[in-house]
Amino acid sequence: MKKMSIFLVPIILLMAIGYGCSKDHEAPTFSQYENVSEPTDVEATYLKDTDQFKITWSFDDPTDVINYLVSWSDSNLFDDGVTSDQYVIKDLQNEVLKNEIVLEANDVYKGMEYFELPDIDVFLVYFTVAAVFNNEDKGFSYFIGPRAVVDREGTYADSTAVVFKEEE
Amino acid sequence: MSRTFLITGLSVLLILCSTGVSMAQDEESFVRESIISKRDAVVLSVLFPGLGQMTAGQKVKGVSLFLAEAASLVLFVNAHEDYSTKVTTYDKDIAELDKIATIGGNRGRYSNAQEMFKDLQDQKNKLDDLNTIRNTAIIVAAGVYAFNIVDAIFFSSSTSESRRAEKTDKTRVNVSSTIIDRTPGIMLTKRF
């Protein structure tokens, strides 16, 4: 009996340590963000006459969307480039949130810190659009959703500017 | 802190143990060595694996058990400390991931949540590895401990005692006074 207790006590002690260590960590979940949707049919067009960019998109269910965020970069690896952005804000008088924005080309370049465009034929600008969600009940407070990239693009290689689809 | 304490403790124990073994060897080579009872051997083995075997004369087995236990305990403590540190960061990051949606002020971004989720998955993989190492080390430590106790109780002492008794007979040197060629002297007698 004495031998058994001598034998069992340390074993029980080690088993207790082992049990304490077996308490596993929980796996991370992304469920909260899985149903956050992104804009679709994003299209960027260069308006040659006015030297502007027009970006349009669609959004299936804009109930929780309070703004849109249009961003642009000089790199196809978006975040690796020099980026800038602008919000499309809801018109408070008419309660309308437009699915388009027209940006001055110069503002776009300056946003990317190009105060003088490089001497090249084609200069690419990469646009993305994201919806800004605000619904406290669903746990979102001005949360910027996934970025949607431009679906269609064209190149304009005529002068100092620009890229994407030229308006016909 | 606790790791340093444990490593220092184990080192001291190892030094004491090796000193004990070398002292026992020295004594053995001169006159006699102390005989350890089976009970003492078991108690020493309970204190730390290998100690009982070492003092009972089974040095190779004793040192092997001691080193195996020490190595697995050091590995366990190391992995456990590492795990504890990393799991704190991991839990904090999980809470941060949930907060991104409600951070407000247009600062919470889906891309940040995605990046953090990827990072959390990597962290989880590392934690899984550490947990496996930790649990394996403690299982090995428990196994070595159990083997050591069983060995000390049922096998070690009976064989070692008989061998020790045999050794003692062989190594015992008798000293007696004698007269050789009318000259007084001391006679050392050793049986082989």
Side-chain angles (χ1 to χ4, degrees), chain A residues 20-152:
Chain A
C21 294
S22 70
K23 282 180 185 170
D24 217 352
H25 43 275
E26 60 184 47
T29 53
F30 201 61
S31 54
Q32 193 176 359
Y33 304 103
E34 269 167 3
N35 297 322
V36 177
S37 47
E38 61 182 42
T40 52
D41 306 323
V42 183
E43 196 175 318
T45 310
Y46 175 61
L47 311 171
K48 192 181 173 187
D49 296 341
T50 52
D51 197 23
Q52 289 173 321
F53 290 106
K54 183 182 179 186
I55 297 112
T56 57
W57 61 90
S58 319
F59 201 86
D60 292 339
D61 179 18
T63 318
D64 301 328
V65 177
I66 191 158
N67 300 326
Y68 288 106
L69 179 66
V70 178
S71 313
W72 56 93
S73 167
D74 62 349
S75 169
N76 59 341
L77 297 169
F78 196 87
D79 290 322
D80 288 351
V82 183
T83 62
S84 188
D85 53 43
Q86 191 164 322
Y87 284 96
V88 178
I89 302 168
K90 192 179 265 187
D91 179 353
L92 292 173
Q93 276 188 331
N94 303 319
E95 281 290 313
V96 176
L97 184 60
K98 284 183 182 174
N99 284 12
E100 65 167 56
I101 188 171
V102 177
L103 299 162
E104 294 294 328
N106 270 332
D107 293 343
V108 171
Y109 306 141
K110 281 176 186 171
M112 295 184 295
E113 298 169 12
Y114 287 95
F115 297 101
E116 201 173 303
L117 279 177
D119 188 19
I120 52 173
D121 291 338
V122 176
F123 187 79
L124 290 168
V125 184
Y126 297 87
F127 287 98
T128 66
V129 183
V132 180
F133 296 87
N134 189 35
N135 187 332
E136 299 285 332
D137 296 336
K138 290 182 182 173
F140 292 112
S141 173
Y142 290 90
F143 176 72
I144 300 165
R147 290 191 298 228
V149 294
V150 172
D151 290 338
R152 290 165 55 188

Side-chain angles (χ1 to χ4, degrees), chain B residues 113-124:
Chain B
Q114 226 173 4
E115 205 173 294
M116 187 164 258
F117 182 67
K118 269 184 196 167
D119 182 54
L120 279 167
Q121 282 178 317
D122 290 344
Q123 283 189 48
K124 191 192 178 296

Side-chain angles (χ1 to χ4, degrees), chain A residues 6 21 25-26 28 33 141 144, chain B residues 83 90 97 101 108 110 128 134:
Chain A
I6 289 171
C21 294
H25 43 275
E26 60 184 47
Y33 304 103
S141 173
I144 300 165
Chain B
Y83 180 88
Y90 178 74
L97 176 66
Y110 183 84
D128 285 344
R134 187 175 73 152

